[in-house]
Amino acid sequence: MDNYRFSRTFLSDSGCVSCPRRWGLRLWVTVLAVSMLFCQVAGFRRRITDRTYVPLTPIILNTTASNYTYVTGETAIMYCAVENLGTKTVTWRRANPSVILTVGLYTYFGDSRFQTQNVLHKDQWNLHIRNVSLDDQGRYECQVSTKARDIRRSFYLNVKEHTSTIHISGTTYVEKNQRLVLRCNASSDSYPQDDLDWFMNGHKVESSDTEGITITKSVAYRSQTIWSELVIAHARMQHAGTYICRTSDKLVTNIKVNILNAGKDNVKRGTEKSDKGLLFEDTKSQKESYSSPLTGSWTLIFGIIFCVLS
């Protein structure tokens, strides 16, 4: 009995009574960790197996348009949606003549205007052509690089020539110290002009409070038109000349403005004309008065001769 008490006391003092409990907890933790690691490895191997034995074929979707129309100078974009691309590459080529333009994101053709952009969330590989011209019109192909080369879709690009018009209006004859107003508008079939400038006799005209010159501008994006109005509050003789309206694309039109000095030249011209008219009328009446007696004398002479002969 005394020996048992001694061994119990010795084990308690040495801390070995709780050893079985600690080893049991460590064992359960180790088993749980090994089980989780086994599940992860098994699941990863299963995913690799599924990818290996279930290959997916790339598909070019018909969710985008196949015909596109742009105006010269714009950036033309043709959209190609590809699903299940995997490790394959998308190639853009021109059908006629047959020329490879881009391979993936790399521009294969020696023209930096051609570029492919990848939109990840839409699975799109879109061909961009900057500053498109009439020579770029034609048929293009979006193709997935495979041995058979049978995964492709055809697109057609139509390019129209950029057309712009410009028109100027206003009063061509303005009295001195009167208000001079000129208007200019320019429209386009693709985008409005960036700016309109005014010139008079080759010199640029700008707004000036001291000279009473005001230039206002407005843009309408719906009608692709820009307007400009030039107002001179009190026109003077030096404001006469040829006014030019020019767009940022060098489209030009002009109008000639005459400034009239009504208090001087016009009155003189009218008076001179009136005097000439009166002088002509007086001369005519004098001629008539001079011819009347002569006509009467000849009548009397012919009457006497007729009586004598009869």
Side-chain angles (χ1 to χ4, degrees):
M1 188 69 178
D2 295 336
N3 293 333
Y4 174 75
R5 290 179 180 178
F6 173 77
S7 61
R8 182 75 177 177
T9 303
F10 177 76
L11 293 173
S12 300
D13 295 340
S14 61
C16 294
V17 176
S18 60
C19 288
R21 296 181 180 178
R22 292 182 178 178
W23 282 105
L25 181 60
R26 291 177 180 178
L27 179 62
W28 280 108
V29 171
T30 303
V31 172
L32 181 61
V34 172
S35 300
M36 293 178 63
L37 180 61
F38 176 78
C39 292
Q40 291 292 331
V41 172
F44 180 73
R45 293 182 63 184
R46 187 181 302 111
R47 288 195 295 271
I48 294 178
T49 303
D50 293 342
R51 288 187 177 183
T52 303
Y53 291 96
V54 185
L56 298 176
T57 303
I59 301 174
I60 298 181
L61 305 177
N62 295 326
T63 56
T64 59
S66 59
N67 293 308
Y68 296 90
T69 301
Y70 290 93
V71 178
T72 55
E74 294 182 331
T75 298
I77 305 176
M78 288 178 284
Y79 300 86
C80 181
V82 183
E83 197 175 57
N84 305 327
L85 182 60
T87 59
K88 304 296 183 182
T89 306
V90 175
T91 301
W92 275 96
R93 58 185 293 271
R94 188 163 185 175
N96 188 19
S98 181
V99 178
I100 297 177
L101 302 175
T102 62
V103 178
L105 298 177
Y106 173 72
T107 301
Y108 187 83
F109 186 62
D111 192 343
S112 59
R113 298 184 303 117
F114 295 88
Q115 185 179 6
T116 297
Q117 293 187 6
N118 178 217
V119 184
L120 294 175
H121 66 282
K122 293 184 178 180
D123 292 330
Q124 290 183 356
W125 295 79
N126 306 327
L127 178 65
H128 292 237
I129 307 176
R130 293 184 291 106
N131 193 21
V132 66
S133 64
L134 296 175
D135 295 334
D136 297 324
Q137 179 172 301
R139 191 165 298 281
Y140 294 78
E141 284 187 355
C142 175
Q143 177 181 313
V144 178
S145 58
T146 59
K147 292 183 179 180
R149 296 184 180 180
D150 56 349
I151 305 176
R152 63 178 65 186
R153 189 185 179 198
S154 180
F155 299 85
Y156 190 83
L157 175 63
N158 183 34
V159 181
K160 298 191 303 182
E161 189 172 3
H162 176 74
T163 58
S164 300
T165 58
I166 188 170
H167 179 70
I168 191 170
S169 61
T171 306
T172 57
Y173 291 91
V174 180
E175 300 287 347
K176 184 180 177 181
N177 294 323
Q178 295 298 314
R179 193 166 180 257
L180 170 62
V181 180
L182 299 176
R183 296 180 180 88
C184 180
N185 65 81
S187 59
S188 172
D189 55 0
S190 57
Y191 54 88
Q193 301 290 333
D194 296 332
D195 200 2
L196 283 176
D197 294 321
W198 288 94
F199 296 87
M200 185 193 71
N201 296 332
H203 301 282
K204 188 174 182 179
V205 181
E206 296 181 350
S207 296
S208 175
D209 295 335
T210 58
E211 297 185 9
I213 300 176
T214 304
I215 297 177
T216 57
K217 301 175 184 178
S218 61
V219 180
Y221 290 97
R222 179 170 296 181
S223 60
Q224 312 294 345
T225 305
I226 182 172
W227 287 274
S228 181
E229 184 180 65
L230 170 64
V231 178
I232 301 178
H234 303 283
R236 295 188 291 273
M237 300 305 297
Q238 61 265 30
H239 293 143
T242 302
Y243 286 79
I244 295 176
C245 177
R246 188 183 71 180
T247 67
S248 55
D249 287 348
K250 310 303 181 184
L251 200 62
V252 177
T253 186
N254 64 80
I255 187 173
K256 188 173 182 180
V257 176
N258 299 277
I259 306 299
L260 305 178
N261 193 349
K264 185 177 180 181
D265 297 336
N266 292 342
V267 173
K268 284 188 175 182
R269 287 196 296 267
T271 305
E272 184 179 359
K273 183 177 180 181
S274 300
D275 293 341
K276 288 182 179 179
L278 293 174
L279 180 61
F280 177 76
E281 291 179 358
D282 294 341
T283 304
K284 184 177 180 181
S285 61
Q286 290 178 4
K287 289 181 178 179
E288 290 179 353
S289 61
Y290 291 151
S291 60
S292 296
L294 183 61
T295 305
S297 300
W298 281 104
T299 305
L300 179 61
I301 293 171
F302 280 114
I304 296 173
I305 294 172
F306 178 76
C307 293
V308 171
L309 294 176
S310 61

